[in-house]
Amino acid sequence: MTRDFDLLIIGAGPAGMAAALAAAPSGARIGLIDDNPAPGGQIWRDGVLAQLPAIARHYREALAAAGNIQLFHSTRVVAIAGPHRLLLEDDTCAWCARYSKLILCTGARELLLPFPGWTLPGVTGAGGLQALIKGGVPVAGERLVIAGSGPLLLASAATAKKAGARLLRIVEQAPFAALSAFTLQLPRWPGKLLQAAQLFDRHYRSASFVLAALGNERLEGVRLSQGGKVVEMACERLACGFGLIPNTQLGQALECRLDGQAIAVDDWQACSRDGHYAAGECTGFGGSELALVEGAIAGHAAVGERAAARALWPRRRRWQAFAGQLGRHFALDARLKQLANADTLVCRCEDVAYAEVAGRSGWVDAKLHSRCGMGACQGRICGGATRFLFDWPAPTPRPPFSPTRIDSLAQLAEAAEDAPLP
């Protein structure tokens, strides 16, 4: 089965939702693809304990009211099935989407760095902990340490405290001077200043980072470097996130140029490949405000409404400036590259230890000597880690882009025979 779209949008987070709604008044046939059960992305993630902000509800209601937007939830991109065609899979079947224009709003994922004990039950990502709590995982009464870098630590701590967790420490690797400089800039974005004031917690410590998770069968405690001193504390949960890295896999597969770790775009949010656009955190992390305005610009530009897109440029510049402050002041300390021991797992899917890949020249060399990056996550976790640890280039994506049913893959050859969209 093949469905045709004037505009196909991959990702229904803030950027994807904004892109669809900006393009909708044109009357274009719009398809919005997302692998979650409901639109909102990770920041507006649904769940039994999730409390969606008013702006998220507004965007959902607007999507539902737009008659020319088709939302396909719980749907994943499996492979590229030819020019301007993607093979998709949902919970029941695989099908092909054929498009004239494409907007990538694939978001970002947490950077997880290996350290002794990081694979113990009870250790998660900082954003991962938020998702678990929103999904109904109980944390009431559990002692919690949150470590890593960036504003997500405070947001994760607030979610956990509201769910009844006993917060022991928020461990931020950035030094106090960098955090102070960042705070002094926040009055330029009053809403962010208010948000920071509301989220700040007395357990917050700067110039500190995790050294090891302690325990045998599951997490029992954590060892920290705190202001130059080593401290240990007992806990049942440890959530670590060292910032975000853009999800560029599909963009790379489509041969869109990268700018550092993100998809490169021009003023119109257009990629290097004609007819393809990108918006949101796949083009660089800057928060939901930047994602919303980038998505709107991409949506307008994709349907030829350049005046409407240009009118949003000043708002984008405002939030790009905020993103720049985040990148400068929360830059990762080089000491984090030394956390892993020789036997610390780097690729947890395939049980590949640090010593097995430390001397390799890149992904191909590592795969020839181990199974690093060849497990279920296809390098999504160890790919970001090894890029930070060893300065390897991003791994080249190969289909299928996610674990897929055999009958879905069988449709690739059939899809390639379809005629291109006129």
Side-chain angles (χ1 to χ4, degrees):
M1 177 172 58
T2 299
R3 293 184 173 99
D4 290 334
F5 301 96
D6 299 313
L7 176 61
L8 187 65
I9 302 169
I10 309 299
M17 298 168 83
L21 292 172
S26 71
R29 296 169 298 170
I30 300 170
L32 183 57
I33 310 296
D34 197 81
D35 60 0
N36 289 307
Q42 295 303 314
I43 191 168
W44 295 336
R45 188 182 182 92
D46 223 336
V48 294
L49 297 182
Q51 294 184 341
L52 293 177
I55 187 172
R57 295 193 298 271
H58 165 74
Y59 272 86
R60 284 191 179 184
E61 291 166 1
L63 282 177
N68 59 327
I69 299 175
Q70 287 183 273
L71 173 64
F72 299 91
H73 58 79
S74 301
T75 302
R76 299 160 293 281
V77 179
V78 173
I80 298 170
H84 286 242
R85 279 174 291 178
L86 299 177
L87 180 64
L88 307 172
E89 179 188 78
D90 57 30
D91 293 337
T92 60
C93 66
W95 53 281
C96 191
R98 195 161 43 185
Y99 60 88
S100 294
K101 300 288 179 66
L102 179 76
I103 303 179
L104 296 169
C105 300
T106 48
R109 62 189 182 277
E110 282 190 278
L111 173 61
L112 305 178
L113 298 179
F115 53 86
W118 77 293
T119 58
L120 281 171
V123 182
T124 66
L129 177 62
Q130 275 193 308
L132 288 171
I133 293 172
K134 290 178 181 179
V137 171
V139 296
E142 293 185 341
R143 293 170 294 181
L144 168 67
V145 174
I146 296 180
S149 190
L152 181 59
L153 304 186
L154 289 169
S156 183
T159 300
K161 286 193 299 181
K162 194 169 184 178
R166 295 171 53 198
L167 182 65
L168 303 181
R169 193 75 82 240
I170 303 174
V171 182
E172 167 60 59
Q173 61 86 40
F176 179 78
L179 296 176
S180 297
F182 176 72
T183 303
L184 289 174
Q185 294 295 321
L186 283 182
R188 296 166 59 186
W189 306 276
K192 291 296 183 182
L193 178 61
L194 177 61
Q195 187 178 48
Q198 291 172 336
L199 292 177
F200 184 77
D201 189 276
R202 63 186 178 86
H203 297 101
Y204 191 90
R205 299 292 186 275
S206 62
S208 303
F209 50 88
V210 63
L211 295 174
L214 310 175
N216 295 313
E217 298 300 319
R218 64 164 291 111
L219 180 70
E220 298 173 8
V222 61
R223 181 179 299 128
L224 306 171
S225 172
Q226 184 175 294
K229 298 179 180 179
V230 176
V231 298
E232 292 186 3
M233 54 185 64
C235 62
E236 286 77 42
R237 285 199 179 270
L238 170 63
C240 290
F242 295 89
L244 298 175
I245 48 178
N247 286 324
T248 61
Q249 182 184 48
L250 183 54
Q252 288 175 262
L254 289 166
E255 299 182 347
C256 297
R257 185 174 62 85
L258 298 186
D259 180 9
Q261 295 192 52
I263 298 175
V265 294
D266 64 12
D267 289 340
W268 308 102
Q269 299 295 139
C271 304
S272 59
R273 180 169 177 172
D274 187 47
H276 292 66
Y277 300 77
E281 292 174 349
C282 63
T283 67
F285 175 65
S288 61
E289 295 87 356
L290 180 58
L292 286 169
V293 68
E294 286 183 346
I297 291 171
H300 285 305
V303 295
E305 297 170 348
R306 292 211 158 195
R310 187 188 293 272
L312 295 172
W313 287 5
R315 180 148 53 106
R316 181 178 57 188
R317 283 195 297 270
R318 169 179 167 79
W319 291 110
Q320 283 174 333
F322 177 73
Q325 294 292 331
L326 284 175
R328 281 190 291 276
H329 297 300
F330 289 94
L332 295 183
D333 193 313
R335 288 178 294 176
L336 299 176
K337 296 186 178 187
Q338 312 302 321
L339 296 180
N341 295 329
D343 60 350
T344 301
L345 295 183
V346 172
C347 176
R348 61 187 184 185
C349 292
E350 295 294 329
D351 293 338
V352 179
Y354 181 89
E356 297 180 66
V357 295
R360 303 303 170 194
S361 60
W363 272 98
V364 174
D365 189 23
K367 287 183 177 181
L368 287 173
H369 292 85
S370 72
R371 288 186 55 81
C372 185
M374 299 175 70
C377 85
Q378 289 292 285
R380 285 177 176 82
I381 303 301
C382 57
T386 53
R387 194 168 189 179
F388 175 74
L389 293 174
F390 311 125
D391 298 316
W392 290 356
T396 302
R398 298 174 60 186
F401 301 137
S402 59
T404 306
R405 298 188 297 267
I406 293 177
D407 62 317
S408 299
L409 291 176
Q411 295 193 36
L412 265 178
E414 181 180 331
E417 297 176 358
D418 287 348
L421 184 70

